[in-house]
Structures are given as C-alpha cells and as structure tokens.
Amino acid sequence: MKAIYSRTIEKPAGWLFARWSAGAKAYELTLPPEKRVVTDPLAHYYAGEIGMKIVALFLQVNPSIRMAIVLRARYFDDCARQSLLEGYEQVVLLGAGYDSRFLRLEEFRAIRVFELDLESTQVIKKCLTRRMLGRLPEHVTYVPIDFSRESLRDKLIGAGFDRTRRTLFIWEAVSLFLNEEIVIATLERLAELGGGNRVLFDFVPPELIDDATDYNGNRQLLEICALVKEPLTYGCRPHRMRAILKRIGYRDIRIVSLREAHRMYCGNDQIEDSYFFASTEVAPQVASFDGDNTRSPNNGRIYVPTESDIRAVRAAG
C-alpha cells in the first residue's frame, strides 16, 4: 500500500471530512439529552447540509462509524478539561478542521488556542466563524500549514507560541490519512517543543485499513474514502504505537480502545473495536531543544529515531 502514500497532506477532500465530523456531533442534538455523548450547539452550523448528508449515508452503512467520531470527541474533551485543571496553559489543535472546542468548552475560552490546518480549510472555517460570531475569537490564533512541507516549530513560534508554557496538543482524525513516516515525524516535532507537554491523538488498527476485518460496512467505508480521493492509509496496533512513542521519548502512555470508550460513556461494549485514543507526555529529560540539529538521548536533547530504529519498531510490530 505504500505506493499510494503522499508526502503531502494537502488532500482534496479534507474539508469534506471536516464537515462530516461536525455532522456526526450535530446528529447528537437530535437525541434526548440523556443519550447524548457530546453536546455541541455549533456542530450543525459547521456541518452544513453536506455534512448532514454524509452522516445520513454512513448511518445506513453502520451507525458505529458515527459513534466512533462522537466518542473520540468526548474522550478528548474530557482529557482536555483534565489537562487544564492540571495546569496546562495553552492548547494546539493540529488539523483542527471545523472543531468547535474553542467555544463549546468553557475552559478553552480563557486560554490561548492555536489552530493549525491547511489554508484551504481554514479560510472556510474563518468565514463561517465570522458569520456566526460577528468576528474571529480573540483567544484563537489560526496558523495555516502544510505539515509535510513546513516546519511545525517555526510556524508555531512565529505565531506567538510560548515554549515556556505547558502545552496540550490535540491531533485528531489525521493519522489514518497519512503514513508511518509522517506520523513518526510529527510526533518527533511535537516532542521537541517542550518536556511535560501532553499529546492526545487517535489511530486505527491496520486490519481496518487492509479490509481484513468483519466490521460491518468496513469495505463501504474504504470505498467511499477512496472515491473522494481521501483513502485511509495508516493503521497501527497499540503495542507498536507504544514502542514508537517510547523510542521518541514519550512517557505516561495511555491507549483506550473504542470499545472501552463506549463502555465508559454508554455503559456497554456493544461496538466494533475499530479505533484507539492515545494520550502521552514528553519526558522532561529528553525534550530540551536549543536549535541544534544534533540530538542524543544522553545530552538533554530530544532523541529522534534513526532509520534503523524505525526498522526495529516495525520488526517489533
């Protein structure tokens, strides 16, 4: 499958998936309050008619696909709230799409939020937000970026990112559209930005990507994604992801499966276990970055895996 990978994440249908994600959360508002996993009053606005049509399509394929999106959002919301209670002082959303945490979570309104995404997606979101609020929120900084071509560190610092503040990074619904090299490189770049920072991200198992499962509607999901030229391309098992994170220099790794999240928020495990949600922190002793490109686990700088290290991780998988 490596041949279909692209070194860029400038995907033609990125905006479409952002609308779909918003629509999945907007659908919750049609349910009784006691049955909602998330309550997002802005989601319907960001989803638009097209987002709701995509949700209706996938409800016919398998309702669990929509449920995975809202469980992911709720889990990350709760982790984010807890992080801010623990003293995290700024938030960075990588591939923010049409996420509305900047306003729907009261805790986010009092801190600095950086939203990074492709310029094409941000232009639409900013227009929608201005139309809804009358202006862009002052606590949000929009940073246009192509992660594969531009420096994450340079773009953030140029936008006013404060490396002295403990930071929560949320990297949601992106890894499954990339490849392992870009996933590892992104996690490396985040680790360089400071010890003690926390990262929340998600990933899917490889058997979902390979259509080697009995998940209801999995083949239709893959076919629809490929049809809009946004194929699902990266999957990873939890033990392999732990190995990758440890080699980079992360600690306190927690990986929750979709089934565990469903049990947590819905009281049962009646859902295909087709998703994983991860939280982890950068170990302080390996996260110092002084601008020198030479890194070693023994000199206080972030350890970046070599090609041989990456091969070793793959062999472990």
mmCIF file of all heavy atoms in Angstrom, residues 130-165:
data_model
loop_
_atom_site.group_PDB
_atom_site.id
_atom_site.type_symbol
_atom_site.label_atom_id
_atom_site.label_comp_id
_atom_site.label_asym_id
_atom_site.label_seq_id
_atom_site.Cartn_x
_atom_site.Cartn_y
_atom_site.Cartn_z
ATOM 1 N N ARG A 130 -16.758 33.969 11.469
ATOM 2 C CA ARG A 130 -17.076 35.409 11.440
ATOM 3 C C ARG A 130 -18.571 35.628 11.238
ATOM 4 O O ARG A 130 -19.192 36.493 11.873
ATOM 5 C CB ARG A 130 -16.320 36.107 10.305
ATOM 6 C CG ARG A 130 -14.863 36.380 10.567
ATOM 7 C CD ARG A 130 -14.319 37.373 9.551
ATOM 8 N NE ARG A 130 -12.867 37.478 9.626
ATOM 9 C CZ ARG A 130 -12.034 36.807 8.843
ATOM 10 N NH1 ARG A 130 -12.525 35.971 7.937
ATOM 11 N NH2 ARG A 130 -10.741 36.948 8.957
ATOM 12 N N ARG A 131 -19.156 34.837 10.346
ATOM 13 C CA ARG A 131 -20.575 34.972 10.065
ATOM 14 C C ARG A 131 -21.413 34.644 11.303
ATOM 15 O O ARG A 131 -22.449 35.273 11.562
ATOM 16 C CB ARG A 131 -20.948 34.045 8.909
ATOM 17 C CG ARG A 131 -22.297 34.326 8.271
ATOM 18 C CD ARG A 131 -22.514 33.417 7.074
ATOM 19 N NE ARG A 131 -21.487 33.596 6.059
ATOM 20 C CZ ARG A 131 -21.275 32.747 5.068
ATOM 21 N NH1 ARG A 131 -22.011 31.642 4.973
ATOM 22 N NH2 ARG A 131 -20.326 32.980 4.186
ATOM 23 N N MET A 132 -20.969 33.671 12.076
ATOM 24 C CA MET A 132 -21.716 33.230 13.249
ATOM 25 C C MET A 132 -21.520 34.169 14.441
ATOM 26 O O MET A 132 -22.476 34.537 15.122
ATOM 27 C CB MET A 132 -21.274 31.812 13.647
ATOM 28 C CG MET A 132 -21.930 31.278 14.902
ATOM 29 S SD MET A 132 -21.432 29.567 15.217
ATOM 30 C CE MET A 132 -19.642 29.738 15.309
ATOM 31 N N LEU A 133 -20.257 34.573 14.692
ATOM 32 C CA LEU A 133 -19.940 35.362 15.885
ATOM 33 C C LEU A 133 -19.811 36.859 15.617
ATOM 34 O O LEU A 133 -19.751 37.652 16.556
ATOM 35 C CB LEU A 133 -18.630 34.861 16.509
ATOM 36 C CG LEU A 133 -18.566 33.388 16.921
ATOM 37 C CD1 LEU A 133 -17.203 33.069 17.507
ATOM 38 C CD2 LEU A 133 -19.669 33.050 17.916
ATOM 39 N N GLY A 134 -19.731 37.224 14.345
ATOM 40 C CA GLY A 134 -19.521 38.626 14.014
ATOM 41 C C GLY A 134 -18.059 39.011 13.934
ATOM 42 O O GLY A 134 -17.704 40.059 13.399
ATOM 43 N N ARG A 135 -17.183 38.160 14.445
ATOM 44 C CA ARG A 135 -15.733 38.382 14.431
ATOM 45 C C ARG A 135 -15.055 37.072 14.793
ATOM 46 O O ARG A 135 -15.694 36.128 15.259
ATOM 47 C CB ARG A 135 -15.335 39.458 15.440
ATOM 48 C CG ARG A 135 -15.759 39.133 16.861
ATOM 49 C CD ARG A 135 -15.373 40.213 17.849
ATOM 50 N NE ARG A 135 -15.903 39.948 19.175
ATOM 51 C CZ ARG A 135 -15.371 39.099 20.055
ATOM 52 N NH1 ARG A 135 -14.278 38.426 19.721
ATOM 53 N NH2 ARG A 135 -15.926 38.907 21.235
ATOM 54 N N LEU A 136 -13.749 37.024 14.580
ATOM 55 C CA LEU A 136 -12.992 35.852 14.997
ATOM 56 C C LEU A 136 -12.681 35.950 16.483
ATOM 57 O O LEU A 136 -12.436 37.045 17.000
ATOM 58 C CB LEU A 136 -11.691 35.742 14.194
ATOM 59 C CG LEU A 136 -11.848 35.451 12.702
ATOM 60 C CD1 LEU A 136 -10.480 35.427 12.022
ATOM 61 C CD2 LEU A 136 -12.578 34.140 12.472
ATOM 62 N N PRO A 137 -12.688 34.839 17.211
ATOM 63 C CA PRO A 137 -12.404 34.875 18.650
ATOM 64 C C PRO A 137 -10.982 35.336 18.928
ATOM 65 O O PRO A 137 -10.032 34.890 18.278
ATOM 66 C CB PRO A 137 -12.621 33.420 19.090
ATOM 67 C CG PRO A 137 -12.473 32.617 17.852
ATOM 68 C CD PRO A 137 -12.958 33.473 16.726
ATOM 69 N N GLU A 138 -10.829 36.223 19.901
ATOM 70 C CA GLU A 138 -9.520 36.810 20.190
ATOM 71 C C GLU A 138 -8.539 35.814 20.780
ATOM 72 O O GLU A 138 -7.329 35.988 20.649
ATOM 73 C CB GLU A 138 -9.687 38.002 21.139
ATOM 74 C CG GLU A 138 -10.456 39.166 20.525
ATOM 75 C CD GLU A 138 -10.582 40.333 21.477
ATOM 76 O OE1 GLU A 138 -10.092 40.212 22.634
ATOM 77 O OE2 GLU A 138 -11.173 41.363 21.092
ATOM 78 N N HIS A 139 -9.032 34.768 21.435
ATOM 79 C CA HIS A 139 -8.119 33.830 22.086
ATOM 80 C C HIS A 139 -7.634 32.729 21.148
ATOM 81 O O HIS A 139 -6.843 31.873 21.550
ATOM 82 C CB HIS A 139 -8.782 33.199 23.316
ATOM 83 C CG HIS A 139 -9.944 32.297 23.003
ATOM 84 N ND1 HIS A 139 -11.135 32.749 22.496
ATOM 85 C CD2 HIS A 139 -10.097 30.948 23.114
ATOM 86 C CE1 HIS A 139 -11.971 31.743 22.323
ATOM 87 N NE2 HIS A 139 -11.361 30.633 22.692
ATOM 88 N N VAL A 140 -8.097 32.744 19.889
ATOM 89 C CA VAL A 140 -7.696 31.733 18.914
ATOM 90 C C VAL A 140 -6.748 32.346 17.890
ATOM 91 O O VAL A 140 -7.024 33.406 17.328
ATOM 92 C CB VAL A 140 -8.922 31.134 18.189
ATOM 93 C CG1 VAL A 140 -8.469 30.108 17.148
ATOM 94 C CG2 VAL A 140 -9.877 30.488 19.187
ATOM 95 N N THR A 141 -5.623 31.652 17.660
ATOM 96 C CA THR A 141 -4.680 32.040 16.620
ATOM 97 C C THR A 141 -4.722 30.992 15.525
ATOM 98 O O THR A 141 -4.485 29.809 15.786
ATOM 99 C CB THR A 141 -3.247 32.151 17.174
ATOM 100 O OG1 THR A 141 -3.208 33.151 18.195
ATOM 101 C CG2 THR A 141 -2.265 32.526 16.072
ATOM 102 N N TYR A 142 -5.034 31.393 14.311
ATOM 103 C CA TYR A 142 -5.123 30.480 13.177
ATOM 104 C C TYR A 142 -3.781 30.449 12.453
ATOM 105 O O TYR A 142 -3.257 31.485 12.047
ATOM 106 C CB TYR A 142 -6.231 30.920 12.225
ATOM 107 C CG TYR A 142 -7.600 30.939 12.861
ATOM 108 C CD1 TYR A 142 -8.101 32.103 13.448
ATOM 109 C CD2 TYR A 142 -8.393 29.794 12.907
ATOM 110 C CE1 TYR A 142 -9.354 32.131 14.044
ATOM 111 C CE2 TYR A 142 -9.650 29.807 13.501
ATOM 112 C CZ TYR A 142 -10.124 30.978 14.073
ATOM 113 O OH TYR A 142 -11.367 30.997 14.673
ATOM 114 N N VAL A 143 -3.236 29.238 12.310
ATOM 115 C CA VAL A 143 -1.911 29.077 11.707
ATOM 116 C C VAL A 143 -2.039 28.162 10.484
ATOM 117 O O VAL A 143 -2.154 26.949 10.632
ATOM 118 C CB VAL A 143 -0.910 28.477 12.714
ATOM 119 C CG1 VAL A 143 0.494 28.454 12.108
ATOM 120 C CG2 VAL A 143 -0.914 29.256 14.027
ATOM 121 N N PRO A 144 -2.009 28.706 9.275
ATOM 122 C CA PRO A 144 -2.072 27.847 8.079
ATOM 123 C C PRO A 144 -0.761 27.103 7.896
ATOM 124 O O PRO A 144 0.324 27.677 8.044
ATOM 125 C CB PRO A 144 -2.311 28.855 6.944
ATOM 126 C CG PRO A 144 -1.739 30.140 7.442
ATOM 127 C CD PRO A 144 -1.952 30.143 8.933
ATOM 128 N N ILE A 145 -0.846 25.805 7.591
ATOM 129 C CA ILE A 145 0.368 25.000 7.471
ATOM 130 C C ILE A 145 0.122 23.764 6.617
ATOM 131 O O ILE A 145 -0.966 23.181 6.653
ATOM 132 C CB ILE A 145 0.884 24.583 8.874
ATOM 133 C CG1 ILE A 145 2.219 23.839 8.770
ATOM 134 C CG2 ILE A 145 -0.154 23.759 9.611
ATOM 135 C CD1 ILE A 145 2.865 23.546 10.125
ATOM 136 N N ASP A 146 1.115 23.380 5.848
ATOM 137 C CA ASP A 146 1.176 22.055 5.238
ATOM 138 C C ASP A 146 2.236 21.310 6.039
ATOM 139 O O ASP A 146 3.419 21.606 5.950
ATOM 140 C CB ASP A 146 1.576 22.145 3.763
ATOM 141 C CG ASP A 146 1.622 20.773 3.094
ATOM 142 O OD1 ASP A 146 1.845 19.772 3.804
ATOM 143 O OD2 ASP A 146 1.453 20.697 1.872
ATOM 144 N N PHE A 147 1.803 20.363 6.864
ATOM 145 C CA PHE A 147 2.706 19.715 7.814
ATOM 146 C C PHE A 147 3.874 18.999 7.146
ATOM 147 O O PHE A 147 4.920 18.828 7.767
ATOM 148 C CB PHE A 147 1.922 18.720 8.675
ATOM 149 C CG PHE A 147 0.933 19.353 9.600
ATOM 150 C CD1 PHE A 147 -0.405 19.459 9.239
ATOM 151 C CD2 PHE A 147 1.320 19.861 10.824
ATOM 152 C CE1 PHE A 147 -1.324 20.052 10.082
ATOM 153 C CE2 PHE A 147 0.406 20.455 11.679
ATOM 154 C CZ PHE A 147 -0.914 20.560 11.306
ATOM 155 N N SER A 148 3.712 18.591 5.908
ATOM 156 C CA SER A 148 4.776 17.837 5.263
ATOM 157 C C SER A 148 5.831 18.742 4.634
ATOM 158 O O SER A 148 6.924 18.293 4.317
ATOM 159 C CB SER A 148 4.196 16.916 4.185
ATOM 160 O OG SER A 148 3.706 17.676 3.103
ATOM 161 N N ARG A 149 5.504 20.025 4.457
ATOM 162 C CA ARG A 149 6.436 20.922 3.777
ATOM 163 C C ARG A 149 6.967 22.043 4.660
ATOM 164 O O ARG A 149 7.994 22.651 4.353
ATOM 165 C CB ARG A 149 5.747 21.558 2.562
ATOM 166 C CG ARG A 149 5.382 20.574 1.459
ATOM 167 C CD ARG A 149 4.993 21.326 0.198
ATOM 168 N NE ARG A 149 4.697 20.410 -0.890
ATOM 169 C CZ ARG A 149 3.485 20.231 -1.403
ATOM 170 N NH1 ARG A 149 2.474 20.894 -0.901
ATOM 171 N NH2 ARG A 149 3.294 19.387 -2.401
ATOM 172 N N GLU A 150 6.260 22.352 5.734
ATOM 173 C CA GLU A 150 6.636 23.488 6.563
ATOM 174 C C GLU A 150 6.981 23.032 7.973
ATOM 175 O O GLU A 150 6.491 22.019 8.452
ATOM 176 C CB GLU A 150 5.494 24.511 6.596
ATOM 177 C CG GLU A 150 5.155 25.074 5.224
ATOM 178 C CD GLU A 150 4.001 26.062 5.274
ATOM 179 O OE1 GLU A 150 2.849 25.608 5.327
ATOM 180 O OE2 GLU A 150 4.263 27.270 5.260
ATOM 181 N N SER A 151 7.806 23.814 8.647
ATOM 182 C CA SER A 151 8.261 23.480 9.991
ATOM 183 C C SER A 151 7.175 23.792 11.013
ATOM 184 O O SER A 151 6.764 24.951 11.167
ATOM 185 C CB SER A 151 9.525 24.270 10.328
ATOM 186 O OG SER A 151 9.794 24.223 11.718
ATOM 187 N N LEU A 152 6.722 22.757 11.711
ATOM 188 C CA LEU A 152 5.726 22.937 12.759
ATOM 189 C C LEU A 152 6.240 23.880 13.833
ATOM 190 O O LEU A 152 5.540 24.806 14.270
ATOM 191 C CB LEU A 152 5.364 21.572 13.359
ATOM 192 C CG LEU A 152 4.474 21.547 14.598
ATOM 193 C CD1 LEU A 152 3.126 22.150 14.290
ATOM 194 C CD2 LEU A 152 4.315 20.116 15.090
ATOM 195 N N ARG A 153 7.485 23.665 14.251
ATOM 196 C CA ARG A 153 8.086 24.501 15.290
ATOM 197 C C ARG A 153 8.160 25.959 14.862
ATOM 198 O O ARG A 153 7.745 26.869 15.592
ATOM 199 C CB ARG A 153 9.483 23.980 15.633
ATOM 200 C CG ARG A 153 10.257 24.833 16.634
ATOM 201 C CD ARG A 153 11.632 24.229 16.877
ATOM 202 N NE ARG A 153 12.407 25.050 17.784
ATOM 203 C CZ ARG A 153 13.171 26.076 17.408
ATOM 204 N NH1 ARG A 153 13.257 26.397 16.119
ATOM 205 N NH2 ARG A 153 13.836 26.781 18.301
ATOM 206 N N ASP A 154 8.664 26.206 13.659
ATOM 207 C CA ASP A 154 8.827 27.584 13.184
ATOM 208 C C ASP A 154 7.487 28.281 13.010
ATOM 209 O O ASP A 154 7.343 29.465 13.347
ATOM 210 C CB ASP A 154 9.598 27.600 11.865
ATOM 211 C CG ASP A 154 11.052 27.196 12.030
ATOM 212 O OD1 ASP A 154 11.519 27.115 13.187
ATOM 213 O OD2 ASP A 154 11.720 26.947 11.004
ATOM 214 N N LYS A 155 6.505 27.564 12.484
ATOM 215 C CA LYS A 155 5.189 28.165 12.280
ATOM 216 C C LYS A 155 4.542 28.540 13.612
ATOM 217 O O LYS A 155 3.955 29.616 13.748
ATOM 218 C CB LYS A 155 4.280 27.202 11.504
ATOM 219 C CG LYS A 155 4.692 26.952 10.077
ATOM 220 C CD LYS A 155 4.409 28.129 9.164
ATOM 221 C CE LYS A 155 2.960 28.274 8.846
ATOM 222 N NZ LYS A 155 2.687 29.256 7.769
ATOM 223 N N LEU A 156 4.652 27.649 14.599
ATOM 224 C CA LEU A 156 4.059 27.939 15.901
ATOM 225 C C LEU A 156 4.751 29.114 16.590
ATOM 226 O O LEU A 156 4.097 30.034 17.085
ATOM 227 C CB LEU A 156 4.135 26.695 16.795
ATOM 228 C CG LEU A 156 2.968 25.716 16.710
ATOM 229 C CD1 LEU A 156 3.243 24.489 17.553
ATOM 230 C CD2 LEU A 156 1.668 26.375 17.161
ATOM 231 N N ILE A 157 6.071 29.077 16.641
ATOM 232 C CA ILE A 157 6.805 30.154 17.308
ATOM 233 C C ILE A 157 6.561 31.481 16.594
ATOM 234 O O ILE A 157 6.392 32.531 17.225
ATOM 235 C CB ILE A 157 8.303 29.816 17.386
ATOM 236 C CG1 ILE A 157 8.506 28.636 18.345
ATOM 237 C CG2 ILE A 157 9.120 31.032 17.842
ATOM 238 C CD1 ILE A 157 9.924 28.147 18.436
ATOM 239 N N GLY A 158 6.501 31.446 15.268
ATOM 240 C CA GLY A 158 6.213 32.661 14.519
ATOM 241 C C GLY A 158 4.825 33.217 14.792
ATOM 242 O O GLY A 158 4.584 34.416 14.627
ATOM 243 N N ALA A 159 3.911 32.352 15.239
ATOM 244 C CA ALA A 159 2.546 32.776 15.537
ATOM 245 C C ALA A 159 2.362 33.191 16.989
ATOM 246 O O ALA A 159 1.249 33.538 17.398
ATOM 247 C CB ALA A 159 1.573 31.647 15.197
ATOM 248 N N GLY A 160 3.453 33.145 17.772
ATOM 249 C CA GLY A 160 3.366 33.570 19.168
ATOM 250 C C GLY A 160 3.293 32.452 20.183
ATOM 251 O O GLY A 160 3.038 32.701 21.370
ATOM 252 N N PHE A 161 3.534 31.232 19.766
ATOM 253 C CA PHE A 161 3.543 30.091 20.687
ATOM 254 C C PHE A 161 4.618 30.296 21.753
ATOM 255 O O PHE A 161 5.758 30.649 21.452
ATOM 256 C CB PHE A 161 3.818 28.816 19.898
ATOM 257 C CG PHE A 161 3.946 27.566 20.722
ATOM 258 C CD1 PHE A 161 2.828 26.886 21.145
ATOM 259 C CD2 PHE A 161 5.207 27.069 21.044
ATOM 260 C CE1 PHE A 161 2.948 25.720 21.889
ATOM 261 C CE2 PHE A 161 5.329 25.903 21.784
ATOM 262 C CZ PHE A 161 4.206 25.227 22.209
ATOM 263 N N ASP A 162 4.248 30.073 23.018
ATOM 264 C CA ASP A 162 5.154 30.285 24.148
ATOM 265 C C ASP A 162 5.686 28.934 24.619
ATOM 266 O O ASP A 162 4.971 28.152 25.227
ATOM 267 C CB ASP A 162 4.410 30.990 25.280
ATOM 268 C CG ASP A 162 5.328 31.398 26.428
ATOM 269 O OD1 ASP A 162 6.481 30.913 26.477
ATOM 270 O OD2 ASP A 162 4.891 32.189 27.278
ATOM 271 N N ARG A 163 6.981 28.671 24.363
ATOM 272 C CA ARG A 163 7.555 27.372 24.718
ATOM 273 C C ARG A 163 7.753 27.204 26.221
ATOM 274 O O ARG A 163 8.083 26.119 26.685
ATOM 275 C CB ARG A 163 8.878 27.166 23.986
ATOM 276 C CG ARG A 163 8.701 26.988 22.475
ATOM 277 C CD ARG A 163 9.984 26.537 21.795
ATOM 278 N NE ARG A 163 10.420 25.248 22.294
ATOM 279 C CZ ARG A 163 11.604 25.024 22.844
ATOM 280 N NH1 ARG A 163 12.465 26.018 23.010
ATOM 281 N NH2 ARG A 163 11.928 23.808 23.255
ATOM 282 N N THR A 164 7.581 28.273 26.995
ATOM 283 C CA THR A 164 7.730 28.157 28.446
ATOM 284 C C THR A 164 6.436 27.677 29.113
ATOM 285 O O THR A 164 6.433 27.366 30.302
ATOM 286 C CB THR A 164 8.147 29.494 29.063
ATOM 287 O OG1 THR A 164 7.069 30.453 28.945
ATOM 288 C CG2 THR A 164 9.398 30.046 28.377
ATOM 289 N N ARG A 165 5.354 27.628 28.376
ATOM 290 C CA ARG A 165 4.067 27.220 28.939
ATOM 291 C C ARG A 165 3.795 25.741 28.643
ATOM 292 O O ARG A 165 4.070 25.272 27.542
ATOM 293 C CB ARG A 165 2.926 28.065 28.366
ATOM 294 C CG ARG A 165 2.988 29.538 28.759
ATOM 295 C CD ARG A 165 1.855 30.307 28.091
ATOM 296 N NE ARG A 165 1.877 31.709 28.463
ATOM 297 C CZ ARG A 165 1.224 32.216 29.507
ATOM 298 N NH1 ARG A 165 0.476 31.415 30.263
ATOM 299 N NH2 ARG A 165 1.298 33.495 29.790
#
